Amino acid sequence: MSDERIKNFRELEFAVFCIENVAAKLGRDAEHVYRAFTEKSDILNGYIVPEYEMLHTQSREYIVDDLLTVMKERGVEV
């Protein structure tokens, strides 16, 4: 995946949505998930942002499950 930065408010809002919903699913606070997506991995800028166009059209459940799969594949724990 490429390493992209958030370019606009929609992508920022989507990134927050992803972080908050993964945190809720895992029963953790959003700060821990944010750190996992940025400091422990490149999931935010290397997956969520580059795949925004595809991901944001999916259901909340699909997005959360997809991100949990990416976390597992990359060995990222919260």
Side-chain angles (χ1 to χ4, degrees), residues 14 17 54-66:
F14 181 70
F17 167 87
M54 185 279 296
L55 285 173
H56 88 279
T57 63
Q58 304 300 318
S59 70
R60 180 177 51 82
E61 293 81 16
Y62 177 91
I63 293 166
V64 170
D65 289 343
D66 185 58

Side-chain angles (χ1 to χ4, degrees), residues 7-78:
K7 297 178 283 303
N8 56 54
F9 183 73
R10 287 176 307 184
E11 288 181 1
L12 175 61
E13 188 174 51
F14 181 70
V16 171
F17 167 87
C18 291
I19 292 165
E20 289 180 344
N21 281 281
V22 168
K25 177 82 173 194
L26 296 175
R28 300 299 308 256
D29 63 57
E31 184 177 348
H32 283 96
V33 174
Y34 174 76
R35 285 187 183 147
F37 283 2
T38 59
E39 296 172 9
K40 296 180 181 179
S41 72
D42 69 338
I43 292 174
L44 179 62
N45 291 318
Y47 185 73
I48 294 172
V49 175
E51 298 299 324
Y52 167 77
E53 290 300 327
M54 185 279 296
L55 285 173
H56 88 279
T57 63
Q58 304 300 318
S59 70
R60 180 177 51 82
E61 293 81 16
Y62 177 91
I63 293 166
V64 170
D65 289 343
D66 185 58
L67 291 172
L68 292 174
T69 299
V70 170
M71 291 173 69
K72 184 177 181 179
E73 289 172 352
R74 296 184 184 191
V76 177
E77 295 182 17
V78 179

